[in-house]
Structure formats: C-alpha cells, structure tokens
Coordinates of all heavy atoms in Angstrom, one line a residue:
M1043 N 55.8 60.3 115.1 CA 55.1 61.5 115.5 C 53.7 61.2 115.9 O 53.0 60.5 115.2 CB 55.1 62.4 114.2 CG 56.5 63.0 113.9 SD 56.5 64.6 113.1 CE 55.6 64.3 111.6
P1044 N 53.2 61.8 117.0 CA 51.8 61.6 117.4 C 50.8 62.4 116.4 O 51.2 63.4 115.9 CB 51.8 62.2 118.8 CG 52.9 63.2 118.8 CD 53.9 62.7 117.9
T1045 N 49.7 61.8 116.3 CA 48.6 62.4 115.6 C 47.5 62.9 116.5 O 47.1 62.2 117.4 CB 48.0 61.4 114.6 OG1 49.0 61.0 113.7 CG2 46.8 62.0 113.8
V1046 N 47.0 64.1 116.3 CA 46.0 64.7 117.1 C 44.7 64.7 116.2 O 44.7 65.3 115.1 CB 46.3 66.1 117.6 CG1 45.1 66.7 118.4 CG2 47.6 66.0 118.5
T1047 N 43.6 64.1 116.7 CA 42.3 64.2 116.1 C 41.5 65.3 116.7 O 41.4 65.3 118.0 CB 41.6 62.9 116.2 OG1 42.4 61.8 115.6 CG2 40.3 62.9 115.4
I1048 N 41.0 66.2 115.9 CA 40.4 67.4 116.5 C 38.9 67.3 116.1 O 38.5 67.4 115.0 CB 41.0 68.7 115.9 CG1 42.5 68.7 116.2 CG2 40.3 69.9 116.4 CD1 43.3 69.7 115.4
M1049 N 38.1 67.2 117.2 CA 36.6 67.1 117.0 C 36.0 68.5 117.3 O 36.6 69.4 117.9 CB 36.1 66.2 118.1 CG 36.6 64.7 117.9 SD 36.5 64.0 116.3 CE 34.7 63.7 116.3
P1050 N 34.9 68.8 116.7 CA 34.0 67.9 116.1 C 34.3 67.7 114.6 O 33.6 66.9 114.0 CB 32.6 68.6 116.3 CG 32.9 70.0 116.3 CD 34.3 70.1 117.0
S1051 N 35.2 68.3 114.0 CA 35.5 68.2 112.6 C 36.1 66.8 112.2 O 35.8 66.3 111.1 CB 36.4 69.3 112.1 OG 37.7 69.1 112.5
G1052 N 36.8 66.2 113.1 CA 37.5 65.0 112.9 C 38.8 65.2 112.1 O 39.4 64.2 111.7
K1053 N 39.2 66.4 111.9 CA 40.5 66.7 111.2 C 41.6 66.1 112.0 O 41.6 66.2 113.2 CB 40.6 68.2 111.0 CG 41.7 68.5 110.1 CD 41.7 70.0 109.7 CE 42.7 70.4 108.7 NZ 42.7 71.7 108.3
T1054 N 42.6 65.6 111.3 CA 43.8 65.0 112.0 C 45.0 65.9 111.7 O 45.1 66.4 110.6 CB 44.1 63.6 111.7 OG1 44.3 63.5 110.3 CG2 42.9 62.7 112.1
Q1055 N 45.9 65.9 112.7 CA 47.2 66.7 112.4 C 48.3 65.9 113.1 O 48.3 65.6 114.3 CB 47.1 68.1 113.0 CG 48.3 68.9 112.9 CD 48.5 69.3 111.4 OE1 47.6 69.6 110.7 NE2 49.8 69.1 110.9
E1056 N 49.4 65.7 112.3 CA 50.5 65.0 112.9 C 51.5 66.1 113.3 O 51.7 67.1 112.6 CB 51.2 64.2 111.8 CG 52.0 63.0 112.3 CD 52.4 62.1 111.1 OE1 53.2 62.6 110.3 OE2 52.0 60.9 111.1
V1057 N 52.1 66.0 114.5 CA 53.1 67.0 115.0 C 54.2 66.2 115.6 O 54.1 65.1 116.1 CB 52.4 67.9 116.0 CG1 51.4 68.9 115.3 CG2 51.7 67.2 117.1
P1058 N 55.4 66.9 115.7 CA 56.5 66.2 116.4 C 56.3 66.0 117.9 O 55.6 66.8 118.5 CB 57.6 67.3 116.2 CG 57.2 68.2 115.1 CD 55.7 68.2 115.2
E1059 N 56.9 65.0 118.4 CA 56.8 64.7 119.8 C 57.4 66.0 120.6 O 58.3 66.6 120.1 CB 57.7 63.5 120.1 CG 57.8 63.1 121.6 CD 58.7 61.9 121.8 OE1 59.1 61.3 120.9 OE2 59.1 61.7 123.0
G1060 N 56.7 66.3 121.7 CA 57.1 67.5 122.4 C 56.3 68.7 122.0 O 56.4 69.8 122.7
S1061 N 55.5 68.6 121.0 CA 54.6 69.7 120.6 C 53.4 69.9 121.6 O 53.0 68.9 122.2 CB 54.0 69.5 119.2 OG 55.0 69.4 118.3
T1062 N 52.9 71.0 121.7 CA 51.7 71.2 122.5 C 50.4 70.9 121.7 O 50.5 70.9 120.4 CB 51.6 72.6 123.1 OG1 51.4 73.5 121.9 CG2 52.7 73.0 123.9
L1063 N 49.3 70.7 122.4 CA 48.1 70.5 121.6 C 47.7 71.8 120.9 O 47.2 71.7 119.8 CB 46.9 70.1 122.6 CG 47.0 68.7 123.2 CD1 45.9 68.6 124.3 CD2 46.9 67.7 122.1
L1064 N 48.1 72.9 121.5 CA 47.8 74.2 120.8 C 48.6 74.2 119.5 O 48.0 74.7 118.4 CB 48.3 75.4 121.7 CG 48.1 76.8 121.1 CD1 46.6 77.0 120.7 CD2 48.6 77.8 122.0
A1065 N 49.8 73.8 119.4 CA 50.6 73.8 118.2 C 49.9 72.9 117.1 O 49.8 73.2 115.9 CB 52.0 73.3 118.4
A1066 N 49.3 71.8 117.6 CA 48.6 70.9 116.7 C 47.3 71.5 116.1 O 47.0 71.4 114.9 CB 48.3 69.6 117.4
I1067 N 46.6 72.2 117.0 CA 45.4 72.9 116.6 C 45.7 74.0 115.6 O 45.0 74.1 114.6 CB 44.7 73.5 117.9 CG1 44.2 72.3 118.8 CG2 43.5 74.4 117.5 CD1 43.8 72.8 120.2
Q1068 N 46.7 74.7 115.8 CA 47.0 75.8 114.9 C 47.6 75.3 113.6 O 47.2 75.8 112.5 CB 48.1 76.8 115.6 CG 47.4 77.5 116.7 CD 48.5 78.3 117.5 OE1 49.6 77.9 117.6 NE2 48.0 79.5 118.1
A1069 N 48.4 74.2 113.7 CA 48.9 73.6 112.4 C 47.8 73.0 111.6 O 47.9 73.0 110.4 CB 49.9 72.5 112.8
A1070 N 46.7 72.6 112.2 CA 45.5 72.1 111.5 C 44.7 73.2 110.9 O 43.7 72.9 110.2 CB 44.7 71.2 112.4
G1071 N 45.0 74.4 111.2 CA 44.3 75.5 110.6 C 43.2 76.2 111.4 O 42.5 77.0 110.9
F1072 N 43.1 75.8 112.7 CA 42.1 76.4 113.5 C 42.7 77.6 114.2 O 43.8 77.6 114.8 CB 41.6 75.4 114.6 CG 40.9 74.2 114.0 CD1 41.5 73.0 113.8 CD2 39.5 74.3 113.8 CE1 40.9 71.9 113.2 CE2 38.8 73.2 113.2 CZ 39.5 72.1 113.0
P1073 N 42.0 78.8 114.1 CA 42.6 80.0 114.5 C 42.4 80.3 116.0 O 41.6 81.1 116.4 CB 41.8 81.0 113.7 CG 40.4 80.4 113.5 CD 40.7 78.9 113.4
M1074 N 43.2 79.7 116.8 CA 43.2 80.0 118.2 C 44.0 81.3 118.4 O 45.2 81.3 118.1 CB 43.8 78.9 119.1 CG 42.8 77.8 119.4 SD 43.2 77.0 120.9 CE 41.6 76.1 121.2
E1075 N 43.3 82.3 118.9 CA 43.9 83.7 118.9 C 45.0 83.8 120.0 O 46.0 84.4 119.8 CB 42.8 84.7 119.2 CG 41.8 84.8 118.1 CD 42.3 85.2 116.8 OE1 43.2 86.0 116.7 OE2 41.9 84.7 115.7
C1076 N 44.8 83.2 121.1 CA 45.7 83.4 122.2 C 47.0 82.7 121.9 O 47.0 81.5 121.5 CB 45.1 82.9 123.5 SG 46.1 83.4 125.0
K1077 N 48.1 83.3 122.1 CA 49.4 82.7 122.0 C 50.3 82.9 123.2 O 51.5 82.9 123.1 CB 50.1 83.3 120.7 CG 49.4 83.0 119.4 CD 50.0 83.7 118.3 CE 49.3 83.4 117.0 NZ 47.8 83.6 116.9
C1078 N 49.7 83.1 124.3 CA 50.4 83.4 125.6 C 51.2 82.2 126.0 O 52.3 82.4 126.7 CB 49.5 83.9 126.7 SG 48.5 82.6 127.4
N1079 N 50.8 81.0 125.8 CA 51.4 79.7 126.2 C 51.6 79.7 127.7 O 52.6 79.1 128.2 CB 52.8 79.5 125.5 CG 52.6 79.2 124.0 OD1 51.7 78.5 123.7 ND2 53.4 79.8 123.2
T1080 N 50.7 80.3 128.5 CA 50.8 80.3 129.9 C 49.5 79.7 130.6 O 49.5 79.4 131.8 CB 51.0 81.7 130.5 OG1 49.8 82.5 130.2 CG2 52.2 82.3 129.9
G1081 N 48.4 79.6 129.8 CA 47.2 79.2 130.4 C 46.5 80.2 131.2 O 45.4 80.0 131.8
K1082 N 47.0 81.4 131.2 CA 46.5 82.5 132.1 C 45.2 83.1 131.6 O 44.5 83.8 132.3 CB 47.5 83.6 132.3 CG 48.7 83.2 133.1 CD 49.6 84.3 133.4 CE 50.8 83.8 134.3 NZ 51.8 84.7 134.4
F1083 N 44.9 82.9 130.3 CA 43.7 83.6 129.7 C 42.6 82.7 129.4 O 41.6 83.1 128.9 CB 44.1 84.4 128.5 CG 45.1 85.5 128.8 CD1 46.5 85.3 128.5 CD2 44.7 86.6 129.4 CE1 47.4 86.2 128.8 CE2 45.7 87.6 129.7 CZ 47.0 87.4 129.4
D1084 N 42.7 81.4 129.8 CA 41.7 80.4 129.7 C 41.1 80.3 128.2 O 40.1 79.7 128.0 CB 40.5 80.8 130.6 CG 40.9 81.0 132.0 OD1 42.0 80.5 132.4 OD2 40.1 81.6 132.8
S1085 N 41.8 80.8 127.3 CA 41.3 80.9 125.9 C 41.5 79.6 125.1 O 41.0 79.5 124.0 CB 41.8 82.1 125.2 OG 43.2 82.0 125.2
C1086 N 42.4 78.7 125.6 CA 42.7 77.5 124.8 C 42.2 76.3 125.5 O 42.7 75.2 125.4 CB 44.1 77.4 124.4 SG 45.2 77.3 125.9
H1087 N 41.1 76.5 126.3 CA 40.5 75.4 127.0 C 39.9 74.4 126.0 O 39.1 74.7 125.2 CB 39.4 76.0 127.9 CG 38.6 74.9 128.7 ND1 37.3 75.1 128.9 CD2 38.9 73.7 129.2 CE1 36.8 74.0 129.5 NE2 37.8 73.2 129.7
I1088 N 40.3 73.1 126.2 CA 39.7 72.1 125.3 C 39.4 70.9 126.2 O 39.7 70.8 127.3 CB 40.8 71.6 124.2 CG1 42.1 71.2 124.8 CG2 41.0 72.8 123.2 CD1 42.3 69.8 125.1
F1089 N 38.6 70.0 125.6 CA 38.4 68.7 126.2 C 39.3 67.6 125.6 O 39.4 67.5 124.4 CB 36.9 68.2 126.1 CG 35.9 68.9 126.9 CD1 34.6 68.9 126.6 CD2 36.3 69.6 128.1 CE1 33.7 69.6 127.4 CE2 35.4 70.2 128.9 CZ 34.1 70.2 128.6
L1090 N 39.9 66.9 126.4 CA 40.8 65.8 126.0 C 39.9 64.5 126.0 O 39.5 64.0 127.1 CB 42.0 65.6 126.9 CG 42.9 64.5 126.6 CD1 43.6 64.7 125.3 CD2 44.0 64.4 127.7
L1091 N 39.6 64.0 124.9 CA 38.7 62.8 124.8 C 39.5 61.5 124.9 O 39.0 60.5 125.4 CB 38.0 62.9 123.4 CG 37.1 64.1 123.2 CD1 36.5 64.1 121.8 CD2 36.1 64.3 124.3
E1092 N 40.7 61.5 124.3 CA 41.6 60.3 124.3 C 43.0 60.7 124.4 O 43.4 61.7 123.8 CB 41.3 59.4 123.1 CG 39.9 58.8 123.0 CD 39.7 58.1 121.6 OE1 40.7 57.9 120.9 OE2 38.5 57.9 121.4
G1093 N 43.8 59.9 125.0 CA 45.3 60.1 125.0 C 45.8 60.7 126.2 O 47.0 61.2 126.2
K1094 N 45.1 60.7 127.3 CA 45.5 61.3 128.6 C 46.9 60.8 129.0 O 47.8 61.6 129.4 CB 44.5 61.1 129.7 CG 44.8 61.8 131.0 CD 43.7 61.6 132.0 CE 44.0 62.2 133.3 NZ 43.0 62.0 134.3
K1095 N 47.1 59.6 128.9 CA 48.4 59.0 129.4 C 49.6 59.4 128.6 O 50.7 59.4 129.0 CB 48.3 57.4 129.4 CG 47.4 56.9 130.5 CD 47.4 55.4 130.6 CE 46.4 55.0 131.7 NZ 46.2 53.5 131.7
G1096 N 49.3 59.8 127.3 CA 50.4 60.2 126.5 C 50.8 61.7 126.6 O 51.9 62.1 126.1
L1097 N 50.1 62.5 127.4 CA 50.4 63.9 127.6 C 51.2 64.1 128.9 O 51.1 63.3 129.8 CB 49.1 64.7 127.7 CG 48.2 64.8 126.5 CD1 47.0 65.6 126.8 CD2 49.0 65.5 125.4
A1098 N 51.9 65.2 128.9 CA 52.6 65.6 130.1 C 51.6 65.8 131.2 O 50.5 66.3 130.9 CB 53.4 66.8 129.8
K1099 N 52.0 65.5 132.4 CA 51.1 65.7 133.5 C 50.7 67.1 133.7 O 51.5 68.0 133.4 CB 51.7 65.2 134.8 CG 51.6 63.7 135.1 CD 52.1 63.4 136.5 CE 51.2 62.5 137.2 NZ 51.7 62.2 138.5
M1100 N 49.5 67.3 134.2 CA 49.0 68.6 134.5 C 49.7 69.2 135.7 O 49.9 68.5 136.7 CB 47.5 68.5 134.8 CG 46.8 69.9 134.9 SD 45.0 69.7 135.3 CE 44.4 68.8 133.9
T1101 N 50.1 70.5 135.6 CA 50.7 71.1 136.7 C 49.7 71.5 137.8 O 48.5 71.6 137.5 CB 51.5 72.3 136.3 OG1 50.6 73.3 135.8 CG2 52.6 72.0 135.3
K1102 N 50.1 71.8 139.0 CA 49.2 72.2 140.0 C 48.6 73.5 139.6 O 47.4 73.7 139.8 CB 50.0 72.4 141.3 CG 49.2 72.9 142.5 CD 50.1 73.1 143.7 CE 49.3 73.6 144.8 NZ 50.1 74.0 146.0
E1103 N 49.3 74.4 139.0 CA 48.7 75.7 138.6 C 47.6 75.5 137.5 O 46.6 76.1 137.6 CB 49.8 76.6 138.0 CG 50.8 77.1 139.0 CD 51.9 76.0 139.4 OE1 52.1 75.1 138.6 OE2 52.4 76.2 140.5
E1104 N 47.9 74.6 136.5 CA 46.9 74.4 135.5 C 45.6 73.8 136.1 O 44.5 74.2 135.8 CB 47.4 73.5 134.4 CG 46.4 73.2 133.3 CD 46.9 72.2 132.2 OE1 48.0 71.7 132.3 OE2 46.1 72.1 131.2
N1105 N 45.8 72.8 137.0 CA 44.7 72.2 137.7 C 43.9 73.2 138.5 O 42.6 73.2 138.4 CB 45.2 71.1 138.6 CG 44.1 70.2 139.1 OD1 43.2 69.8 138.4 ND2 44.1 69.9 140.4
E1106 N 44.5 74.1 139.2 CA 43.8 75.1 140.0 C 43.1 76.1 139.1 O 41.9 76.4 139.3 CB 44.8 75.9 140.8 CG 45.3 75.1 142.0 CD 46.4 75.8 142.8 OE1 46.8 76.9 142.4 OE2 46.8 75.2 143.8
R1107 N 43.7 76.5 137.9 CA 43.0 77.4 137.0 C 41.7 76.7 136.4 O 40.7 77.3 136.3 CB 43.9 77.9 135.9 CG 45.0 78.8 136.4 CD 45.6 79.6 135.3 NE 44.7 80.4 134.5 CZ 44.2 81.6 134.9 NH1 44.5 82.1 136.1 NH2 43.4 82.2 134.1
L1108 N 41.9 75.4 136.1 CA 40.8 74.7 135.5 C 39.6 74.5 136.5 O 38.5 74.6 136.2 CB 41.2 73.4 134.9 CG 42.0 73.5 133.6 CD1 42.7 72.1 133.3 CD2 41.2 73.9 132.5
E1109 N 40.0 74.3 137.7 CA 39.0 74.1 138.8 C 38.2 75.4 139.0 O 37.0 75.3 139.4 CB 39.7 73.6 140.1 CG 40.0 72.2 140.1 CD 40.6 71.7 141.4 OE1 40.8 72.5 142.3 OE2 40.9 70.5 141.5
N1110 N 38.8 76.5 138.8 CA 38.2 77.8 139.0 C 37.2 78.2 137.9 O 36.5 79.1 138.0 CB 39.2 78.9 139.2 CG 39.9 78.7 140.6 OD1 39.3 78.2 141.5 ND2 41.1 79.2 140.7
M1111 N 37.3 77.5 136.7 CA 36.4 77.8 135.6 C 35.1 77.2 135.8 O 35.0 76.1 136.3 CB 37.1 77.3 134.3 CG 38.3 78.1 133.9 SD 39.1 77.4 132.4 CE 37.8 77.8 131.2
I1112 N 34.1 77.8 135.3 CA 32.7 77.3 135.5 C 32.5 76.1 134.5 O 32.8 76.2 133.3 CB 31.7 78.4 135.2 CG1 31.8 79.5 136.2 CG2 30.3 77.9 135.1 CD1 31.0 80.7 136.0
G1113 N 32.0 75.1 135.0 CA 31.6 73.9 134.2 C 32.7 73.1 133.7 O 32.6 72.3 132.8
V1114 N 33.9 73.2 134.3 CA 35.0 72.4 133.8 C 34.9 71.0 134.3 O 34.6 70.7 135.5 CB 36.3 73.1 134.3 CG1 37.5 72.2 134.1 CG2 36.5 74.4 133.6
A1115 N 35.2 70.1 133.4 CA 35.1 68.7 133.8 C 36.6 68.1 133.8 O 37.5 68.8 133.5 CB 34.3 67.9 132.7
T1116 N 36.7 66.9 134.3 CA 38.0 66.3 134.5 C 38.8 66.1 133.2 O 40.0 66.0 133.1 CB 37.9 64.9 135.2 OG1 37.0 64.1 134.4 CG2 37.4 65.1 136.6
K1117 N 38.0 66.2 132.0 CA 38.7 66.0 130.8 C 39.3 67.3 130.2 O 39.8 67.4 129.1 CB 37.8 65.3 129.7 CG 36.5 66.1 129.5 CD 35.6 65.2 128.6 CE 34.3 65.9 128.3 NZ 33.4 65.2 127.4
S1118 N 39.2 68.4 131.0 CA 39.6 69.7 130.5 C 41.1 69.8 130.6 O 41.8 69.3 131.5 CB 39.1 70.8 131.4 OG 37.7 70.9 131.2
R1119 N 41.7 70.5 129.6 CA 43.1 70.9 129.6 C 43.2 72.3 128.9 O 42.3 72.7 128.2 CB 44.0 69.9 128.8 CG 44.2 68.6 129.4 CD 44.9 68.5 130.7 NE 46.2 69.1 130.7 CZ 47.4 68.5 130.7 NH1 47.4 67.2 130.6 NH2 48.5 69.1 130.7
F1120 N 44.3 72.9 129.2 CA 44.7 74.1 128.4 C 45.6 73.6 127.3 O 46.7 73.0 127.6 CB 45.4 75.2 129.2 CG 44.5 75.9 130.2 CD1 44.7 75.9 131.5 CD2 43.3 76.5 129.7 CE1 43.9 76.5 132.4 CE2 42.5 77.2 130.6 CZ 42.7 77.2 131.9
A1121 N 45.2 73.8 126.1 CA 46.0 73.3 124.9 C 47.4 73.7 124.9 O 48.3 73.0 124.5 CB 45.3 73.6 123.6
C1122 N 47.7 74.9 125.4 CA 49.0 75.5 125.4 C 49.9 74.8 126.4 O 51.2 75.0 126.3 CB 49.0 77.0 125.5 SG 48.4 77.6 127.2
L1123 N 49.4 74.2 127.4 CA 50.2 73.6 128.5 C 50.2 72.1 128.4 O 51.0 71.4 129.1 CB 49.6 74.0 129.8 CG 49.5 75.5 130.1 CD1 48.9 75.7 131.5 CD2 50.9 76.1 130.0
A1124 N 49.5 71.5 127.4 CA 49.5 70.0 127.3 C 50.4 69.6 126.2 O 50.2 69.8 125.0 CB 48.1 69.6 127.0
T1125 N 51.6 69.0 126.6 CA 52.6 68.6 125.7 C 52.4 67.1 125.3 O 52.3 66.3 126.2 CB 54.0 68.8 126.3 OG1 54.1 70.2 126.7 CG2 55.1 68.5 125.4
L1126 N 52.5 66.8 124.1 CA 52.4 65.5 123.6 C 53.7 64.7 123.7 O 54.8 65.2 123.5 CB 52.0 65.5 122.1 CG 50.6 66.0 121.8 CD1 50.6 66.6 120.4 CD2 49.6 64.8 121.9
G1127 N 53.5 63.4 124.0 CA 54.6 62.5 124.0 C 54.6 61.8 122.7 O 54.5 62.4 121.6
T1128 N 54.6 60.4 122.7 CA 54.7 59.7 121.5 C 53.3 59.2 121.1 O 53.1 58.7 120.0 CB 55.6 58.4 121.6 OG1 55.2 57.7 122.7 CG2 57.0 58.9 121.8
E1129 N 52.3 59.3 122.0 CA 51.0 58.7 121.8 C 50.0 59.7 121.1 O 50.2 60.9 121.3 CB 50.4 58.2 123.1 CG 51.1 57.0 123.7 CD 50.4 56.5 124.9 OE1 49.2 56.6 125.0 OE2 51.2 56.1 125.8
D1130 N 49.1 59.2 120.4 CA 48.1 60.0 119.7 C 47.1 60.6 120.7 O 47.0 60.1 121.9 CB 47.3 59.2 118.7 CG 48.2 58.7 117.5 OD1 49.3 59.2 117.4 OD2 47.7 57.8 116.8
A1131 N 46.4 61.6 120.4 CA 45.4 62.2 121.2 C 44.2 62.6 120.4 O 44.3 62.8 119.2 CB 46.0 63.4 121.9
K1132 N 43.1 62.7 121.1 CA 41.8 63.1 120.5 C 41.2 64.2 121.4 O 41.1 64.0 122.6 CB 40.8 61.9 120.3 CG 39.6 62.3 119.6 CD 38.8 61.0 119.4 CE 37.6 61.2 118.5 NZ 36.8 59.9 118.4
I1133 N 40.9 65.3 120.8 CA 40.5 66.5 121.6 C 39.2 67.0 121.0 O 38.8 66.7 119.8 CB 41.5 67.6 121.6 CG1 41.7 68.2 120.2 CG2 42.8 67.1 122.2 CD1 42.5 69.5 120.2
E1134 N 38.5 67.8 121.8 CA 37.3 68.5 121.3 C 37.5 70.0 121.5 O 37.8 70.4 122.6 CB 36.1 68.0 122.1 CG 34.8 68.7 121.6 CD 33.6 68.1 122.4 OE1 33.7 67.1 123.1 OE2 32.5 68.7 122.2
L1135 N 37.3 70.8 120.4 CA 37.4 72.2 120.6 C 36.1 72.7 121.2 O 35.0 72.1 121.0 CB 37.5 72.8 119.2 CG 38.8 72.5 118.4 CD1 38.8 73.1 117.1 CD2 40.0 72.9 119.2
L1136 N 36.2 73.8 121.9 CA 35.0 74.4 122.6 C 34.8 75.8 122.1 O 35.6 76.4 121.4 CB 35.3 74.4 124.1 CG 35.7 73.0 124.7 CD1 36.1 73.2 126.1 CD2 34.5 72.1 124.6
G1137 N 33.6 76.3 122.4 CA 33.3 77.7 122.1 C 33.2 77.9 120.6 O 32.7 77.1 119.9
A1138 N 33.7 79.1 120.1 CA 33.6 79.5 118.8 C 34.2 78.5 117.8 O 33.8 78.4 116.6 CB 34.2 80.9 118.6
L1139 N 35.2 77.8 118.2 CA 35.9 76.9 117.3 C 35.3 75.5 117.2 O 35.7 74.6 116.4 CB 37.4 76.7 117.7 CG 38.3 77.9 117.7 CD1 39.7 77.6 118.2 CD2 38.3 78.4 116.2
S1140 N 34.2 75.3 118.0 CA 33.6 74.0 118.0 C 32.6 73.7 116.8 O 32.1 72.7 116.6 CB 32.8 73.8 119.3 OG 31.7 74.7 119.4
G1141 N 32.5 74.7 116.0 CA 31.7 74.5 114.7 C 30.5 75.3 114.8 O 29.6 75.3 114.0
Ligands
LIG1213 S1 47.6 80.1 124.8 FE1 46.8 81.7 126.1 S2 45.6 80.5 127.6 FE2 46.6 79.0 126.3

C-alpha cells in the first residue's frame, strides 16, 4: 500500500493502491469539503512534491483546468483526480489546510 506524506504537517497516511490523493488526505483527518471527485470546483488543488511517476497520468481536462488557475505550477494536481499506484507520494496542502 502506498504512503502519502502530507505537508506542511508531515503526517503520513497509508491507503490502498487505486485510492485518490483526496481519499488519503481525508483519511488523514484533513477536512477537504469538496467531494465532487470531478476537479470542477478547483477546491482540492494541491502541490505534488514527490511521486509523480507513481500517479495516474493527468487527463487533458485536468491539465486545462489547472492551466486556467492563477499561479498554478507544474507540480499542481487536483487531489480528487490523482490516483495512486504502488509508489509513495508527498504532497503539500494549499490554502486553509496548509496550516
Ligand atoms: S473534489 Fe471537488 S474539485 Fe476535487
């Protein structure tokens, strides 16, 4: 099972392969309100610090939505659309959840 390290707290959460980063964030106790699982509300925007190769590829739609957001960098993902494989990941929460 992959482990997700959630910054800036450094809390870790193990989740089954095939889980989204959003599932890992919520399982770790962080209250992400949006549960749409579509990326349409931009509310689960996170930075992926490590583990890019272990995640499912970004879809064209996710890439376009991220490009339209102000200040988005290449390490951006929507947590609800980023599915984990077998490798660990390290992410950074943004906005109100960043501490
Ligand atoms: S869960 Fe709604 S945008 Fe990701």
Side-chain angles (χ1 to χ4, degrees):
M1043 288 208 300
T1045 298
V1046 178
T1047 302
I1048 303 167
M1049 301 306 286
S1051 72
K1053 190 170 185 178
T1054 59
Q1055 181 66 45
E1056 209 174 61
V1057 290
E1059 182 182 344
S1061 299
T1062 62
L1063 289 176
L1064 179 61
I1067 292 165
Q1068 292 172 329
F1072 293 96
M1074 277 208 166
E1075 298 296 323
C1076 191
K1077 295 173 178 57
C1078 74
N1079 292 320
T1080 65
K1082 289 183 180 171
F1083 298 100
D1084 305 341
S1085 59
C1086 63
H1087 175 217
I1088 55 96
F1089 283 159
L1090 178 63
L1091 303 177
E1092 295 173 12
K1094 182 177 180 180
K1095 289 182 180 173
L1097 290 177
K1099 272 186 138 181
M1100 189 182 299
T1101 64
K1102 182 180 175 189
E1103 292 78 20
E1104 181 182 4
N1105 191 44
E1106 286 174 357
R1107 287 196 63 77
L1108 288 168
E1109 281 182 0
N1110 289 332
M1111 291 176 69
I1112 297 170
V1114 168
T1116 55
K1117 59 185 178 179
S1118 292
R1119 291 296 304 258
F1120 289 123
C1122 65
L1123 300 179
T1125 304
L1126 289 151
T1128 57
E1129 293 183 33
D1130 296 346
K1132 186 175 187 179
I1133 66 170
E1134 181 177 351
L1135 297 178
L1136 304 171
L1139 294 177
S1140 64

